[in-house]
Amino acid sequence: MLLRTVVFTAVNVGLTMVLGTLGALLLVRVSTWVRLLLTTGLVLVWAMPPVVAVQVWSWMTNSENGVLNYILTDVLHFGNYFQHNWYETTFSQYSMVTSLVVWGAIPFVTITVYAALSQVPHELVEAAQIDGARAWRIFKDVTLPVLMPVLLILTSLSIIWDFGAFTQPYLLIGPGQQTTSNYLMSTYLYFEGFGKTDFGIGAAISILMLVIVAALSVVYVRRMLRVGEEA
Amino acid sequence: MSRRRARGRLGWNALGIVIFVVLVFPVFWMLSTSLKDNDQISSFTPTWFPRHPTLQHFADAIHRQYFWTDVGNSAIVVLATVAIALVLSFLAAIALAKYGFSGRKLFIVLVIGIQMLPQAGLIIPLYIVLAGRHQVNTLTGVILVYLTFALPFCVWTLRGFVLGIPKELEEAAMVDGSTRLGAFVRILLPLVAPGLVATAVFAFITSWNEFIFANTLLHSGSKQTITVWLSFLYGGNRFVDWGQIMAASTLIAIPVVIFFLLVQRRISFGLTTGAVKG
């Protein structure tokens, strides 16, 4: 369960950060009207309440006539997903939860990284271009160092959020479908604490979670503290 | 060179549009479904747009048991949380930004640190504390719990806004014979007002969206908040009424979307303040 939580967190954070950063890099390259379109979309997604997003997800992925199966089968021709049940295996269940969590988390990362990208000095990029550097080299040696502090904070925030994710796994997989075979720490402590009213075990898991998160958030807190003292 | 660049931009634009479509599809699908009639929804081959747009699902959703009661509960909880958090945290933010006092550093660490705790890990201790005071299944209990995360956030964000206002302005007012209180009311308050609004809206959104605590602390249907109400919504007895669920989802998302569009820039700024400048 601890391992599952760690893997779940790692996959979610990894996908969120990579896709979010790529999104920000894309925002820089498109025309103004496409950028406006994308930012509006991002804010719209960002604003969706998690419980609402869960309901939309269970409607889109339901096996009877969910639109996901339809798109995979009849629009993209990926194979036959007619009445495919996405909630049959633990892996498949968490793929759905991951898609939901990452979808909801990308806007924050993209918009923040995009803001940070505007801090990259133009002169440096141009100088590198004149020196004949390729796009990848420019990104690695000029852009990335400027982005690093932001990426660091975003990553630690995402780790903290995804590690404690509860609403999405609890509701999307369904309270009735959760067993010892597919618990995350957050859902496990909930069911021990309130399902079986065993506050002892629940509290023990809580403490374990808090310790892990406390260790993870040291980076973020220290950074914020430094900012706080400078100002 | 310029033609190549133009062609490159065309490619990026196309990619951008594809991503936009994928990104907003779930939101589009929610809206589209909420306006379709039941025959179209339950069909095995989905269609993109509603053929005979109907508001029936919205009517069903708002006439469902406890919808208005629970919207009311959410409103009470959210307004109380926002009001209390704003007053307390504004004073705390001023203290943090303007005065040195012993324990200041510890206070800052706590304010930042508390925001980092996963809410799931706090359910049990908070439940036990509230149960000891007979505040489980009451809105007061939920308001207290919401304050635990709204307060630190508001303190930290408002502190940033207060810091953004030059000290000299207030000092000038005091030199001109204004009292400290007068300088506060006439100079500081109007200048911080936009920050106060942004912070209030953010506290509003997080409390309105909150699910874990409300779900654990509120047991009876007439006392729940609207997110818990939505999580229990499955529609009719014999089939899942997706039209109604999507209509209700839309209604619950609307206030958040409106407020979010109002303050989106400031929020992104607040959460990573300093990182960008760093």
Side-chain angles (χ1 to χ4, degrees):
Chain A
M1 176 192 58
L2 179 60
L3 181 71
R4 190 179 301 124
T5 313
V6 170
V7 172
F8 173 80
T9 311
V11 170
N12 276 279
V13 173
L15 282 174
T16 308
M17 291 307 298
V18 170
L19 294 176
T21 311
L22 287 177
L25 291 171
L26 179 70
L27 273 184
V28 181
R29 281 165 179 73
V30 295
S31 319
T32 316
W33 66 273
V34 179
R35 189 179 309 135
L36 206 67
L37 196 70
L38 273 171
T39 350
T40 318
L42 287 167
V43 174
L44 204 61
V45 171
W46 195 357
M48 282 293 121
V51 181
V52 167
V54 167
Q55 291 286 24
V56 177
W57 240 249
S58 28
W59 160 226
M60 292 197 307
T61 59
N62 87 82
S63 59
E64 280 282 309
N65 55 352
V67 70
L68 177 65
N69 287 346
Y70 172 75
I71 291 179
L72 287 177
T73 315
D74 293 328
V75 181
L76 299 172
H77 300 288
F78 269 146
N80 187 7
Y81 285 92
F82 182 66
Q83 306 219 328
H84 178 79
N85 183 0
W86 292 98
Y87 299 94
E88 216 154 22
T89 64
T90 307
F91 177 78
S92 181
Q93 284 170 345
Y94 278 105
S95 308
M96 292 300 117
V97 176
T98 298
S99 66
L100 170 58
V101 170
V102 171
W103 176 77
I106 282 180
F108 173 56
V109 174
T110 301
I111 290 176
T112 315
V113 174
Y114 175 68
L117 274 175
S118 63
Q119 310 274 319
V120 177
H122 262 294
E123 303 79 33
L124 280 183
V125 178
E126 273 165 28
Q129 273 169 346
I130 291 168
D131 290 348
R134 289 180 173 277
W136 168 244
R137 273 300 294 267
I138 297 180
F139 176 73
K140 202 182 79 167
D141 292 338
V142 179
T143 317
L144 207 56
V146 180
L147 289 185
M148 223 41 211
V150 180
L151 291 180
L152 214 62
I153 287 188
L154 286 174
T155 311
S156 37
L157 273 179
S158 304
I159 293 176
I160 293 158
W161 288 338
D162 291 348
F163 195 79
F166 175 83
T167 309
Q168 293 94 340
Y170 173 78
L171 283 178
L172 189 62
I173 297 175
Q177 263 66 54
Q178 322 236 357
T179 57
T180 39
S181 67
N182 65 356
Y183 278 150
L184 293 178
M185 286 180 91
S186 56
T187 43
Y188 181 52
L189 92 86
Y190 180 83
F191 284 106
E192 284 297 326
F194 295 98
K196 303 184 195 160
T197 38
D198 189 341
F199 283 145
I201 293 198
I205 309 164
S206 300
I207 290 184
L208 195 59
M209 270 181 91
L210 295 186
V211 168
I212 297 174
V213 172
L216 291 174
S217 52
V218 164
V219 178
Y220 179 78
V221 175
R222 279 183 55 181
R223 178 90 205 169
M224 285 307 247
L225 207 61
R226 198 174 332 144
V227 172
E229 288 312 301
E230 270 168 16
Chain B
M1 182 70 190
S2 75
R3 187 178 291 173
R4 215 179 94 198
R5 189 171 283 174
R7 204 183 301 156
R9 171 149 295 188
L10 208 64
W12 292 122
N13 280 350
L15 184 64
I17 291 167
V18 170
I19 289 177
F20 172 79
V21 169
V22 175
L23 196 67
V24 297
F25 181 78
V27 183
F28 162 76
W29 199 237
M30 170 179 87
L31 281 173
S32 169
T33 307
S34 69
L35 295 169
K36 289 174 183 169
D37 56 35
N38 274 328
D39 287 342
Q40 205 184 346
I41 292 173
S42 55
S43 148
F44 281 102
T45 31
T47 28
W48 304 124
F49 294 97
R51 239 170 320 190
H52 313 285
T54 164
L55 290 175
Q56 188 56 43
H57 298 302
F58 287 92
D60 289 348
I62 62 174
H63 288 120
R64 240 189 128 74
Q65 198 181 19
Y66 299 136
F67 177 83
W68 289 111
T69 326
D70 289 354
V71 166
N73 291 340
S74 272
I76 294 172
V77 169
V78 167
L79 291 179
T81 307
V82 171
I84 299 173
L86 218 56
V87 172
L88 291 181
S89 60
F90 187 40
L91 298 176
I94 293 174
L96 267 186
K98 295 202 179 291
Y99 306 107
F101 51 91
S102 54
R104 181 170 176 276
K105 190 153 185 171
L106 180 70
F107 188 73
I108 294 183
V109 172
L110 283 177
V111 162
I112 302 170
I114 285 169
Q115 294 179 70
M116 298 298 105
L117 300 178
Q119 298 183 345
L122 293 176
I123 316 176
I124 290 177
L126 284 172
Y127 186 93
I128 293 173
V129 170
L130 288 179
R133 307 282 183 289
H134 305 289
Q135 293 300 324
V136 170
N137 206 18
T138 65
L139 294 182
T140 334
V142 177
I143 294 169
L144 281 173
V145 169
Y146 283 10
L147 282 173
T148 63
F149 58 80
L151 267 177
F153 170 80
C154 291
V155 170
W156 192 245
T157 328
L158 282 175
R159 175 190 155 282
F161 285 117
V162 173
L163 275 179
I165 289 151
K167 246 190 191 133
E168 292 76 23
L169 285 178
E170 254 183 300
E171 285 168 2
M174 286 201 275
V175 169
D176 289 347
S178 177
T179 57
R180 189 172 274 282
L181 187 70
F184 171 78
V185 174
R186 275 184 225 111
I187 310 287
L188 192 62
L189 208 55
L191 287 173
V192 185
L196 281 172
V197 173
T199 315
V201 171
F202 193 82
F204 174 97
I205 293 170
T206 32
S207 324
W208 178 268
N209 285 355
E210 207 284 328
F211 171 76
I212 312 174
F213 289 124
N215 182 48
T216 323
L217 292 171
L218 303 170
H219 306 305
S220 41
S222 62
K223 283 206 176 138
Q224 273 152 355
T225 59
I226 197 65
T227 45
V228 183
W229 178 89
L230 179 64
S231 78
F232 281 114
L233 185 60
Y234 287 102
N237 299 326
R238 294 182 44 218
F239 68 103
V240 185
D241 188 346
W242 289 114
Q244 194 185 132
I245 298 178
M246 289 304 110
S249 297
T250 310
L251 290 175
I252 293 168
I254 283 174
V256 190
V257 171
I258 292 174
F259 282 123
F260 223 97
L261 289 172
L262 288 179
V263 288
Q264 169 262 125
R265 277 167 191 283
R266 286 168 202 279
I267 297 165
S268 165
F269 179 71
L271 275 171
T272 52
T273 316
V276 182
K277 287 185 201 149

